[in-house]
Amino acid sequence: MLTLDPEHAEKNAAKKKPMNRLHHQDCATKTTAAPPDGVPRWKRALDVTLVLITLPLVLPLMICIALLIWIVSEGPVLFRQERIGYLGRCFTCFKFRTMAVGTDTSIHQGHLNNLINSDVPMVKMDLKGDPRIIPLGVPLRASGLDELPQLINVLRGEMSLVGPRPCVRYEYDKYLPWQKERFNTLPGLTGLWQVSGKNRTTFDEMIQLDIDYARSKTLRLDLLIIARTIPALIVQMWDTRVKRKQNLRPVRSEPIIRGARSTGDFQR
């Protein structure tokens, strides 16, 4: 039974994991722009239809975002990165750039390793005041607006509107064989995981939700996920706002004890 509630997400697959994570050297192959084999016709038709219908509304918004990024930060407006998608194939993923040019990716790799190897919620580094993020970058990331250029990937057949998020290569290399079942469908802008709690779920819960979708995707489920995406983004933006305030709240210093001598004898 497929669910949109993270509290009822299946965890049976997590019990099948071996004790140690193995390093896999499967080499993902480069994909073409043509729609990959095995993608349902209804899915491709839904993607192209919805993108073309919403493009007149989305395009002016994308132009405004591009202008804002160009004003507040030096460097290209678009960020291009190699991602792993359908059946482990590589493709160039587009996003609006929300970080300064030349940032150190090893910081994110360390954060990702912690999420993979521990049973903690999938929170972003943004909540801790990541200094790599440009002005206006946090609200763009929290609202998902930075991912609007991926509509290009959808039209090219490399992504779908609904599906698991495409991962980077160093994340893909850490996946166990059973976890790679999530790549049996096109990656998407939104998905079952995104509307089932996202930052409130663990890495293993994310994997299981993605596998559930890959096994059970239907037209009705895609429409339901799309309908629930905006409410899920609103909750995500609120969570980001609240948690950032908590993390950035200044720490009160210890009060000086009255009557201390002027020679430096005070509470330390």
Side-chain angles (χ1 to χ4, degrees), residues 231-252:
L233 286 174
I234 293 174
V235 172
Q236 179 177 308
M237 292 174 65
W238 177 257
D239 283 350
T240 300
R241 178 183 175 86
V242 171
K243 291 179 181 179
R244 274 182 61 84
K245 282 186 175 181
Q246 293 174 347
N247 291 331
L248 299 179
R249 185 177 299 168
V251 180
R252 294 182 179 179

PDB file of all heavy atoms in Angstrom, residues 231-252:
ATOM      1  N   PRO A 231       1.665  22.746  -1.161  1.00  0.00           N
ATOM      2  CA  PRO A 231       1.541  22.701   0.303  1.00  0.00           C
ATOM      3  C   PRO A 231       2.803  22.168   0.993  1.00  0.00           C
ATOM      4  O   PRO A 231       3.190  22.671   2.054  1.00  0.00           O
ATOM      5  CB  PRO A 231       0.356  21.753   0.525  1.00  0.00           C
ATOM      6  CG  PRO A 231      -0.454  21.867  -0.718  1.00  0.00           C
ATOM      7  CD  PRO A 231       0.535  22.047  -1.816  1.00  0.00           C
ATOM      8  N   ALA A 232       3.460  21.177   0.378  1.00  0.00           N
ATOM      9  CA  ALA A 232       4.680  20.636   0.966  1.00  0.00           C
ATOM     10  C   ALA A 232       5.798  21.671   0.968  1.00  0.00           C
ATOM     11  O   ALA A 232       6.580  21.765   1.923  1.00  0.00           O
ATOM     12  CB  ALA A 232       5.124  19.381   0.204  1.00  0.00           C
ATOM     13  N   LEU A 233       5.892  22.474  -0.088  1.00  0.00           N
ATOM     14  CA  LEU A 233       6.906  23.526  -0.156  1.00  0.00           C
ATOM     15  C   LEU A 233       6.652  24.618   0.877  1.00  0.00           C
ATOM     16  O   LEU A 233       7.592  25.166   1.462  1.00  0.00           O
ATOM     17  CB  LEU A 233       6.948  24.135  -1.557  1.00  0.00           C
ATOM     18  CG  LEU A 233       7.589  23.277  -2.654  1.00  0.00           C
ATOM     19  CD1 LEU A 233       7.417  23.940  -4.008  1.00  0.00           C
ATOM     20  CD2 LEU A 233       9.060  23.023  -2.354  1.00  0.00           C
ATOM     21  N   ILE A 234       5.386  24.929   1.121  1.00  0.00           N
ATOM     22  CA  ILE A 234       5.050  25.935   2.126  1.00  0.00           C
ATOM     23  C   ILE A 234       5.493  25.464   3.505  1.00  0.00           C
ATOM     24  O   ILE A 234       6.079  26.221   4.295  1.00  0.00           O
ATOM     25  CB  ILE A 234       3.538  26.231   2.107  1.00  0.00           C
ATOM     26  CG1 ILE A 234       3.156  26.919   0.791  1.00  0.00           C
ATOM     27  CG2 ILE A 234       3.135  27.099   3.299  1.00  0.00           C
ATOM     28  CD1 ILE A 234       1.660  27.122   0.612  1.00  0.00           C
ATOM     29  N   VAL A 235       5.236  24.189   3.809  1.00  0.00           N
ATOM     30  CA  VAL A 235       5.684  23.624   5.095  1.00  0.00           C
ATOM     31  C   VAL A 235       7.203  23.645   5.181  1.00  0.00           C
ATOM     32  O   VAL A 235       7.784  23.976   6.216  1.00  0.00           O
ATOM     33  CB  VAL A 235       5.150  22.182   5.249  1.00  0.00           C
ATOM     34  CG1 VAL A 235       5.766  21.512   6.470  1.00  0.00           C
ATOM     35  CG2 VAL A 235       3.633  22.181   5.359  1.00  0.00           C
ATOM     36  N   GLN A 236       7.873  23.303   4.074  1.00  0.00           N
ATOM     37  CA  GLN A 236       9.339  23.287   4.057  1.00  0.00           C
ATOM     38  C   GLN A 236       9.910  24.677   4.284  1.00  0.00           C
ATOM     39  O   GLN A 236      10.888  24.856   5.026  1.00  0.00           O
ATOM     40  CB  GLN A 236       9.816  22.733   2.716  1.00  0.00           C
ATOM     41  CG  GLN A 236      11.331  22.685   2.576  1.00  0.00           C
ATOM     42  CD  GLN A 236      11.756  22.069   1.256  1.00  0.00           C
ATOM     43  OE1 GLN A 236      11.318  20.980   0.917  1.00  0.00           O
ATOM     44  NE2 GLN A 236      12.597  22.776   0.515  1.00  0.00           N
ATOM     45  N   MET A 237       9.312  25.696   3.664  1.00  0.00           N
ATOM     46  CA  MET A 237       9.780  27.068   3.844  1.00  0.00           C
ATOM     47  C   MET A 237       9.580  27.522   5.287  1.00  0.00           C
ATOM     48  O   MET A 237      10.438  28.203   5.853  1.00  0.00           O
ATOM     49  CB  MET A 237       9.041  27.997   2.884  1.00  0.00           C
ATOM     50  CG  MET A 237       9.378  27.786   1.421  1.00  0.00           C
ATOM     51  SD  MET A 237       8.348  28.778   0.310  1.00  0.00           S
ATOM     52  CE  MET A 237       8.864  30.429   0.783  1.00  0.00           C
ATOM     53  N   TRP A 238       8.464  27.145   5.883  1.00  0.00           N
ATOM     54  CA  TRP A 238       8.207  27.505   7.273  1.00  0.00           C
ATOM     55  C   TRP A 238       9.216  26.827   8.207  1.00  0.00           C
ATOM     56  O   TRP A 238       9.758  27.451   9.116  1.00  0.00           O
ATOM     57  CB  TRP A 238       6.786  27.128   7.660  1.00  0.00           C
ATOM     58  CG  TRP A 238       6.477  27.417   9.100  1.00  0.00           C
ATOM     59  CD1 TRP A 238       6.414  26.522  10.135  1.00  0.00           C
ATOM     60  CD2 TRP A 238       6.221  28.702   9.680  1.00  0.00           C
ATOM     61  NE1 TRP A 238       6.116  27.157  11.303  1.00  0.00           N
ATOM     62  CE2 TRP A 238       6.001  28.495  11.067  1.00  0.00           C
ATOM     63  CE3 TRP A 238       6.151  29.992   9.160  1.00  0.00           C
ATOM     64  CZ2 TRP A 238       5.717  29.549  11.927  1.00  0.00           C
ATOM     65  CZ3 TRP A 238       5.863  31.040  10.024  1.00  0.00           C
ATOM     66  CH2 TRP A 238       5.653  30.814  11.389  1.00  0.00           C
ATOM     67  N   ASP A 239       9.469  25.530   7.975  1.00  0.00           N
ATOM     68  CA  ASP A 239      10.449  24.804   8.786  1.00  0.00           C
ATOM     69  C   ASP A 239      11.828  25.449   8.680  1.00  0.00           C
ATOM     70  O   ASP A 239      12.545  25.591   9.676  1.00  0.00           O
ATOM     71  CB  ASP A 239      10.534  23.337   8.347  1.00  0.00           C
ATOM     72  CG  ASP A 239       9.358  22.510   8.845  1.00  0.00           C
ATOM     73  OD1 ASP A 239       8.591  23.024   9.686  1.00  0.00           O
ATOM     74  OD2 ASP A 239       9.203  21.358   8.384  1.00  0.00           O
ATOM     75  N   THR A 240      12.207  25.823   7.457  1.00  0.00           N
ATOM     76  CA  THR A 240      13.514  26.454   7.251  1.00  0.00           C
ATOM     77  C   THR A 240      13.598  27.769   8.006  1.00  0.00           C
ATOM     78  O   THR A 240      14.616  28.060   8.651  1.00  0.00           O
ATOM     79  CB  THR A 240      13.751  26.702   5.748  1.00  0.00           C
ATOM     80  OG1 THR A 240      13.725  25.454   5.052  1.00  0.00           O
ATOM     81  CG2 THR A 240      15.098  27.375   5.512  1.00  0.00           C
ATOM     82  N   ARG A 241      12.551  28.560   7.955  1.00  0.00           N
ATOM     83  CA  ARG A 241      12.532  29.855   8.641  1.00  0.00           C
ATOM     84  C   ARG A 241      12.663  29.676  10.156  1.00  0.00           C
ATOM     85  O   ARG A 241      13.475  30.353  10.801  1.00  0.00           O
ATOM     86  CB  ARG A 241      11.230  30.589   8.306  1.00  0.00           C
ATOM     87  CG  ARG A 241      11.066  31.929   9.006  1.00  0.00           C
ATOM     88  CD  ARG A 241       9.715  32.545   8.663  1.00  0.00           C
ATOM     89  NE  ARG A 241       9.475  33.767   9.408  1.00  0.00           N
ATOM     90  CZ  ARG A 241       9.880  34.957   9.023  1.00  0.00           C
ATOM     91  NH1 ARG A 241      10.537  35.095   7.898  1.00  0.00           N
ATOM     92  NH2 ARG A 241       9.621  36.026   9.750  1.00  0.00           N
ATOM     93  N   VAL A 242      11.887  28.754  10.712  1.00  0.00           N
ATOM     94  CA  VAL A 242      11.898  28.538  12.159  1.00  0.00           C
ATOM     95  C   VAL A 242      13.249  27.996  12.626  1.00  0.00           C
ATOM     96  O   VAL A 242      13.837  28.487  13.604  1.00  0.00           O
ATOM     97  CB  VAL A 242      10.769  27.571  12.570  1.00  0.00           C
ATOM     98  CG1 VAL A 242      10.900  27.171  14.039  1.00  0.00           C
ATOM     99  CG2 VAL A 242       9.407  28.210  12.313  1.00  0.00           C
ATOM    100  N   LYS A 243      13.770  26.989  11.931  1.00  0.00           N
ATOM    101  CA  LYS A 243      15.013  26.354  12.363  1.00  0.00           C
ATOM    102  C   LYS A 243      16.216  27.267  12.178  1.00  0.00           C
ATOM    103  O   LYS A 243      17.165  27.211  12.959  1.00  0.00           O
ATOM    104  CB  LYS A 243      15.209  25.038  11.608  1.00  0.00           C
ATOM    105  CG  LYS A 243      14.188  23.980  12.021  1.00  0.00           C
ATOM    106  CD  LYS A 243      14.369  22.688  11.257  1.00  0.00           C
ATOM    107  CE  LYS A 243      13.336  21.656  11.674  1.00  0.00           C
ATOM    108  NZ  LYS A 243      13.475  20.382  10.905  1.00  0.00           N
ATOM    109  N   ARG A 244      16.196  28.095  11.138  1.00  0.00           N
ATOM    110  CA  ARG A 244      17.301  29.049  10.959  1.00  0.00           C
ATOM    111  C   ARG A 244      17.313  30.074  12.081  1.00  0.00           C
ATOM    112  O   ARG A 244      18.367  30.464  12.570  1.00  0.00           O
ATOM    113  CB  ARG A 244      17.177  29.757   9.600  1.00  0.00           C
ATOM    114  CG  ARG A 244      17.810  28.980   8.453  1.00  0.00           C
ATOM    115  CD  ARG A 244      17.698  29.742   7.165  1.00  0.00           C
ATOM    116  NE  ARG A 244      18.372  31.027   7.222  1.00  0.00           N
ATOM    117  CZ  ARG A 244      19.682  31.199   7.005  1.00  0.00           C
ATOM    118  NH1 ARG A 244      20.443  30.162   6.723  1.00  0.00           N
ATOM    119  NH2 ARG A 244      20.204  32.411   7.053  1.00  0.00           N
ATOM    120  N   LYS A 245      16.140  30.512  12.517  1.00  0.00           N
ATOM    121  CA  LYS A 245      16.074  31.452  13.630  1.00  0.00           C
ATOM    122  C   LYS A 245      16.627  30.823  14.904  1.00  0.00           C
ATOM    123  O   LYS A 245      17.319  31.464  15.697  1.00  0.00           O
ATOM    124  CB  LYS A 245      14.629  31.906  13.850  1.00  0.00           C
ATOM    125  CG  LYS A 245      14.152  32.948  12.855  1.00  0.00           C
ATOM    126  CD  LYS A 245      12.769  33.453  13.234  1.00  0.00           C
ATOM    127  CE  LYS A 245      12.325  34.576  12.313  1.00  0.00           C
ATOM    128  NZ  LYS A 245      10.979  35.104  12.689  1.00  0.00           N
ATOM    129  N   GLN A 246      16.309  29.533  15.088  1.00  0.00           N
ATOM    130  CA  GLN A 246      16.800  28.837  16.276  1.00  0.00           C
ATOM    131  C   GLN A 246      18.313  28.664  16.231  1.00  0.00           C
ATOM    132  O   GLN A 246      19.002  28.871  17.233  1.00  0.00           O
ATOM    133  CB  GLN A 246      16.125  27.470  16.397  1.00  0.00           C
ATOM    134  CG  GLN A 246      14.631  27.548  16.685  1.00  0.00           C
ATOM    135  CD  GLN A 246      13.965  26.183  16.662  1.00  0.00           C
ATOM    136  OE1 GLN A 246      14.552  25.193  16.202  1.00  0.00           O
ATOM    137  NE2 GLN A 246      12.730  26.120  17.138  1.00  0.00           N
ATOM    138  N   ASN A 247      18.839  28.289  15.064  1.00  0.00           N
ATOM    139  CA  ASN A 247      20.278  28.038  14.942  1.00  0.00           C
ATOM    140  C   ASN A 247      21.101  29.317  14.946  1.00  0.00           C
ATOM    141  O   ASN A 247      22.260  29.302  15.370  1.00  0.00           O
ATOM    142  CB  ASN A 247      20.560  27.263  13.651  1.00  0.00           C
ATOM    143  CG  ASN A 247      20.044  25.842  13.709  1.00  0.00           C
ATOM    144  OD1 ASN A 247      19.971  25.243  14.778  1.00  0.00           O
ATOM    145  ND2 ASN A 247      19.659  25.297  12.571  1.00  0.00           N
ATOM    146  N   LEU A 248      20.515  30.417  14.446  1.00  0.00           N
ATOM    147  CA  LEU A 248      21.257  31.667  14.372  1.00  0.00           C
ATOM    148  C   LEU A 248      21.029  32.561  15.579  1.00  0.00           C
ATOM    149  O   LEU A 248      21.551  33.665  15.633  1.00  0.00           O
ATOM    150  CB  LEU A 248      20.857  32.430  13.100  1.00  0.00           C
ATOM    151  CG  LEU A 248      21.135  31.709  11.780  1.00  0.00           C
ATOM    152  CD1 LEU A 248      20.670  32.553  10.600  1.00  0.00           C
ATOM    153  CD2 LEU A 248      22.615  31.370  11.645  1.00  0.00           C
ATOM    154  N   ARG A 249      20.244  32.072  16.547  1.00  0.00           N
ATOM    155  CA  ARG A 249      19.987  32.863  17.744  1.00  0.00           C
ATOM    156  C   ARG A 249      21.283  33.056  18.531  1.00  0.00           C
ATOM    157  O   ARG A 249      21.999  32.086  18.800  1.00  0.00           O
ATOM    158  CB  ARG A 249      18.955  32.159  18.621  1.00  0.00           C
ATOM    159  CG  ARG A 249      18.514  32.951  19.849  1.00  0.00           C
ATOM    160  CD  ARG A 249      17.446  32.191  20.587  1.00  0.00           C
ATOM    161  NE  ARG A 249      16.285  31.987  19.732  1.00  0.00           N
ATOM    162  CZ  ARG A 249      15.281  31.156  20.035  1.00  0.00           C
ATOM    163  NH1 ARG A 249      15.338  30.444  21.144  1.00  0.00           N
ATOM    164  NH2 ARG A 249      14.264  31.035  19.216  1.00  0.00           N
ATOM    165  N   PRO A 250      21.653  34.286  18.895  1.00  0.00           N
ATOM    166  CA  PRO A 250      22.911  34.512  19.615  1.00  0.00           C
ATOM    167  C   PRO A 250      22.904  33.865  20.995  1.00  0.00           C
ATOM    168  O   PRO A 250      21.874  33.801  21.673  1.00  0.00           O
ATOM    169  CB  PRO A 250      22.983  36.041  19.728  1.00  0.00           C
ATOM    170  CG  PRO A 250      21.570  36.504  19.591  1.00  0.00           C
ATOM    171  CD  PRO A 250      20.906  35.530  18.664  1.00  0.00           C
ATOM    172  N   VAL A 251      24.074  33.366  21.377  1.00  0.00           N
ATOM    173  CA  VAL A 251      24.225  32.729  22.682  1.00  0.00           C
ATOM    174  C   VAL A 251      24.502  33.793  23.737  1.00  0.00           C
ATOM    175  O   VAL A 251      25.387  34.636  23.558  1.00  0.00           O
ATOM    176  CB  VAL A 251      25.387  31.700  22.659  1.00  0.00           C
ATOM    177  CG1 VAL A 251      25.535  31.054  24.028  1.00  0.00           C
ATOM    178  CG2 VAL A 251      25.126  30.655  21.588  1.00  0.00           C
ATOM    179  N   ARG A 252      23.757  33.760  24.805  1.00  0.00           N
ATOM    180  CA  ARG A 252      23.953  34.735  25.873  1.00  0.00           C
ATOM    181  C   ARG A 252      25.248  34.458  26.626  1.00  0.00           C
ATOM    182  O   ARG A 252      25.553  33.322  26.963  1.00  0.00           O
ATOM    183  CB  ARG A 252      22.784  34.689  26.863  1.00  0.00           C
ATOM    184  CG  ARG A 252      21.454  35.136  26.259  1.00  0.00           C
ATOM    185  CD  ARG A 252      20.369  35.116  27.319  1.00  0.00           C
ATOM    186  NE  ARG A 252      19.097  35.562  26.767  1.00  0.00           N
ATOM    187  CZ  ARG A 252      17.977  35.628  27.471  1.00  0.00           C
ATOM    188  NH1 ARG A 252      17.987  35.271  28.760  1.00  0.00           N
ATOM    189  NH2 ARG A 252      16.854  36.048  26.903  1.00  0.00           N
TER     190      ARG A 252
END
